[in-house]
Amino acid sequence: MKHLSELPAWRQLWPHYEEMKSVHMRDLFTQDPDRARRYWLEVGGLTLDYAKNRITDQTLNGLFELARESGLPEKMRAMFAGEKINNTENRAALHIALRNRADTPIYVDGENVMPKVNSVLRHMGRFAHAVRNGDWTGYTGQAITDIVNIGIGGSDQGPLMMCTALQTYGHPRLNMHFVSNVDGTQLRDVLEQVRPETTLFIIASKTFTTQETLTNAHTARDWFLRAGREEDIAKHFVAVSTNKEAVSAFGIDTANMFEFWNWVGGRYSLWSAIGLPIMIYLGEENFIAMLEGAHLMDQHFINAPFEQNMPVLLGMIGIWYINYFGGGSHVIAPYDQHLHHLPRFIQQLDMESNGKQTACDGTPVGTDTGPIIWGETGINGQHAFFQLLHQGTHITPIDLIASLEKRSNLPGHHEILLSNVFAQAEAFMRGKTAEEVRAELQAQGMDGEKIEKLVPHKTFSGNRPTNILLLDKIDPRNMGSLIALYEHKVFVQGVVWGINSFDQWGVELGKQLAKTILAELTGEIPPQPHDASTERLIRLYRRANCEVDGTCDIL
Ligand code: F6P
């Protein structure tokens, strides 16, 4: 396989980059009065304004050529056809099958996966209806009022982000809780708010071996059994997993298990049975609308020419900054309180997928790969870290995401919010020249010497890239499209870097080492050889806790 840096289009883009690095977007707007209309794309309920990027038609053509030379069209077809593109785990990556509303057959190992996808959806639908309408009751015959999802990573973040984003669609009787952290305070805080007789626990784990999730699940079960009996567990615990054996070993009847498959990656799993909390909270119809929105984006991705392809545009413009300008991070800034979990969700999606240094063929990639994704609600970010984005030394592209529809009926709020979205993007692009600062200060009557001292500090270089993504409204369908857009953007970039976006070996080492250290901390085994710093830390912990644990004898 050819690496990115060996492709002709990669090389051809370098002289163009040399020209572009000193071109200011202000001038690009002046030169092309049609720029805003041309660098604008609508797909379903999503509008992307990508005009405020340091690109021209020549840049885009070069980037599309790079995508073609990287084999993107073939890899897209392979993904949609169920080929095992996750080569290190010998698995397909078929989140698109989970929302394949056209129900066209998709084969893995010669089997059409759609019948089982649809059957699990029906199972989820029946269960969600029963919980929502009160037919599914707890052991005292009362309706469920609280759902506690216990899972971590992809088995937590997608449902948490969607339930929060779409809470205006949520069932009024149901309170949603998400427990991911093995720090017992999170579970304890939730258990203090709920009653065993009206609580349903969803134990969500693809592997059903994840230490944090199983620890929390066991503790939740012990808590429940202080009130209910063993035979009541079936009414209060369900599992979502690919691992039937481990689910039944935990004590959950597999009749209460919602299945998914190894071709669903954890961070791509909210469309699968992992989405059960979403379906229970929002209802089957809204869950299906979310799948439809994602399907719409899938169809757009696979069919639209690169020039009008939203995931390809976002992915390739990202490559332009990461690999040519040397921008190593990317900000997600939703201007919407209910989207406050979105940056964290996209962080896992992108960084666990593309945080790799080895190409699919096992050789070093040789170029930079996945960016550091970070962010926060835009309006809060403005009063915190946006300073660095405006005047810092890094080039950090920013996605500003907002709803066109007013989000509350409180007068004036939405206009203030949106004025900030548009103003920030304008400020990032235009900046403020020394002349403009001077004129402004002169108009305020400041004396010349003071002005000259302040000018360098109050000058903004501008030329800082943003994408504006506007949703007609924050509804299930548009949220489905939005998340699918980011999934495919990540895929596009992974293909260009020649990496496998669907494995995550980098999370293993720490998990492995923690097993030994845990046995040392609990006093189960005597101190083991580690580096001096780790040994010291373990000793410190033991000294602090051995009396409580009664294990001081083996200090
Ligand atoms: O450790 C990382 C990871 O494997 C993620 O990829 C995954 O989303 C998360 O842990 C949870 O895994 P599981 O669903 O198997 O419990």
Side-chain angles (χ1 to χ4, degrees):
M1 91 181 244
K2 277 209 167 142
H3 286 187
L4 177 59
S5 55
E6 293 160 350
L7 300 175
W10 162 267
R11 283 196 295 273
Q12 279 153 23
L13 269 169
W14 277 107
H16 174 62
Y17 162 73
E18 289 300 328
E19 280 163 33
M20 284 299 291
K21 70 181 184 194
S22 48
V23 172
H24 202 289
M25 279 189 270
R26 280 182 184 220
D27 299 324
L28 295 176
F29 273 97
T30 314
Q31 284 154 19
D32 179 5
D34 212 18
R35 182 177 175 88
R37 189 193 57 79
R38 294 192 312 108
Y39 292 174
W40 179 279
L41 185 62
E42 293 170 22
V43 177
L46 268 55
T47 300
L48 169 67
D49 173 7
Y50 59 101
K52 296 188 189 76
N53 277 292
R54 294 169 72 170
I55 54 170
T56 62
D57 290 354
Q58 192 185 343
T59 323
L60 287 174
N61 290 335
L63 289 168
F64 297 141
E65 186 51 27
L66 190 61
R68 277 186 281 272
E69 287 180 11
S70 309
L72 181 61
E74 297 77 15
K75 277 280 167 63
M76 287 163 70
R77 280 195 291 274
M79 175 165 79
F80 277 71
E83 284 177 32
K84 296 188 174 172
I85 56 172
N86 175 354
N87 66 315
T88 62
E89 295 180 305
N90 195 30
R91 292 172 183 170
L94 264 185
H95 34 290
I96 57 114
L98 300 168
R99 59 235 188 176
N100 173 17
R101 300 309 297 160
D103 204 23
T104 45
I106 301 177
Y107 293 91
V108 174
D109 292 327
E111 185 199 352
N112 178 12
V113 298
M114 289 315 299
K116 51 190 191 187
V117 167
N118 294 328
S119 149
V120 172
L121 271 175
R122 283 193 296 272
H123 185 194
M124 290 165 65
R126 284 193 300 274
F127 183 70
H129 280 305
V131 173
R132 287 166 64 82
N133 67 21
D135 286 350
W136 183 282
T137 58
Y139 67 95
T140 61
Q142 296 177 64
I144 298 296
T145 56
D146 291 85
I147 310 279
V148 181
N149 189 80
I150 297 184
I152 196 164
S155 301
D156 165 69
Q157 301 222 56
L160 170 61
M161 181 273 298
M162 274 295 180
C163 288
T164 312
L166 298 171
Q167 60 192 262
T168 50
Y169 294 80
H171 193 291
R173 195 186 66 246
L174 296 174
N175 306 304
M176 305 303 290
H177 311 269
F178 292 84
V179 175
S180 57
N181 201 327
V182 76
D183 169 1
T185 56
Q186 194 186 21
L187 180 58
R188 189 202 56 205
D189 291 352
V190 169
L191 294 179
E192 278 172 7
Q193 296 168 45
V194 302
R195 295 186 306 136
E197 54 271 36
T198 53
T199 300
L200 177 75
F201 292 93
I202 301 176
I203 315 299
S205 174
K206 180 176 170 182
T207 54
F208 229 76
T209 57
T210 302
Q211 186 189 39
E212 296 86 339
T213 299
L214 289 189
T215 305
N216 281 325
H218 278 286
T219 305
R221 190 175 60 176
D222 293 346
W223 172 85
F224 174 78
L225 286 174
R226 276 188 244 141
R229 296 158 305 168
E230 279 283 343
E231 56 267 38
D232 299 326
I233 284 188
K235 288 179 181 298
H236 292 272
F237 283 78
V238 299
V240 179
S241 188
T242 59
N243 187 347
K244 256 192 185 151
E245 293 72 34
V247 167
S248 79
F250 176 84
I252 293 180
D253 187 343
T254 48
N256 290 338
M257 169 178 162
F258 297 83
E259 200 190 352
F260 63 115
W261 309 275
N262 72 10
W263 42 260
V264 182
R267 50 198 174 274
Y268 299 88
S269 64
L270 72 86
W271 325 99
S272 72
I274 289 289
L276 186 63
I278 310 175
M279 197 195 269
I280 295 175
Y281 189 45
L282 306 182
E284 186 180 13
E285 246 177 60
N286 282 322
F287 190 82
I288 298 293
M290 182 189 83
L291 299 183
E292 280 167 357
H295 180 62
L296 183 149
M297 186 55 69
D298 295 341
Q299 290 306 301
H300 164 75
F301 180 48
I302 194 71
N303 292 317
F306 283 0
E307 291 71 13
Q308 282 135 40
N309 192 314
M310 213 182 260
V312 173
L313 277 162
L314 285 185
M316 295 314 296
I317 292 172
I319 295 271
W320 180 232
Y321 297 123
I322 295 162
N323 294 113
Y324 290 87
F325 285 83
S329 90
H330 189 107
V331 167
I332 305 292
Y335 277 74
D336 192 291
Q337 192 53 32
H338 289 178
L339 294 188
H340 73 274
H341 289 301
L342 185 67
R344 205 153 72 88
F345 173 83
I346 295 179
Q347 187 176 61
Q348 184 197 4
L349 172 64
D350 201 322
M351 293 173 75
E352 208 174 56
S353 297
N354 286 344
K356 316 271 165 75
Q357 57 183 5
T358 305
C360 286
D361 63 1
T363 56
V365 280
T367 53
D368 281 342
T369 59
I372 294 157
I373 302 287
W374 56 293
E376 150 71 290
T377 52
I379 208 80
N380 290 327
Q382 280 177 222
H383 296 272
F385 57 81
F386 271 38
Q387 164 63 39
L388 178 143
L389 302 178
H390 281 291
Q391 288 189 314
T393 52
H394 305 277
I395 170 154
T396 309
I398 307 153
D399 293 354
L400 306 159
I401 303 167
S403 160
L404 282 174
E405 186 188 62
K406 291 187 185 181
R407 294 286 281 150
S408 74
N409 52 12
L410 302 177
H413 284 249
H414 205 69
E415 289 76 9
I416 293 177
L417 192 68
L418 270 281
S419 68
N420 275 281
V421 177
F422 303 152
Q424 286 296 324
E426 189 175 22
F428 283 125
M429 186 279 286
R430 286 181 56 82
K432 201 183 217 179
T433 63
E435 291 67 44
E436 286 167 339
V437 175
R438 238 174 241 119
E440 202 176 271
L441 295 178
Q442 273 159 7
Q444 289 167 15
M446 192 180 277
D447 77 64
E449 202 181 326
K450 260 194 182 163
I451 288 178
E452 285 318 306
K453 275 196 179 141
L454 269 181
V455 163
H457 300 284
K458 290 180 77 94
T459 301
F460 290 61
S461 59
N463 217 12
R464 294 173 186 244
T466 54
N467 294 305
I468 297 193
L469 260 168
L470 297 172
L471 282 67
D472 290 353
K473 60 194 285 202
I474 310 275
D475 66 4
R477 193 179 165 82
N478 289 341
M479 283 304 296
S481 299
L482 180 72
I483 300 308
L485 166 64
Y486 277 97
E487 288 178 347
H488 294 320
K489 173 204 162 178
V490 166
F491 175 68
V492 166
Q493 296 190 334
V495 169
V496 171
W497 291 316
I499 57 182
N500 175 5
S501 298
F502 301 106
D503 60 12
Q504 58 282 318
W505 299 107
V507 302
E508 295 299 324
L509 178 59
K511 286 187 193 173
Q512 227 172 36
L513 296 181
K515 274 193 192 143
T516 315
I517 295 179
L518 172 62
E520 291 173 72
L521 295 185
T522 56
E524 210 178 301
I525 58 170
Q528 302 292 301
H530 299 274
D531 61 88
S533 138
T534 308
E535 281 173 13
R536 230 177 131 77
L537 292 165
I538 293 171
R539 262 202 312 277
L540 175 69
Y541 178 84
R542 296 273 292 119
R543 261 193 235 111
N545 288 286
C546 75
E547 272 184 32
V548 185
D549 299 344
T551 53
C552 291
D553 50 318
I554 60 161
L555 249 185

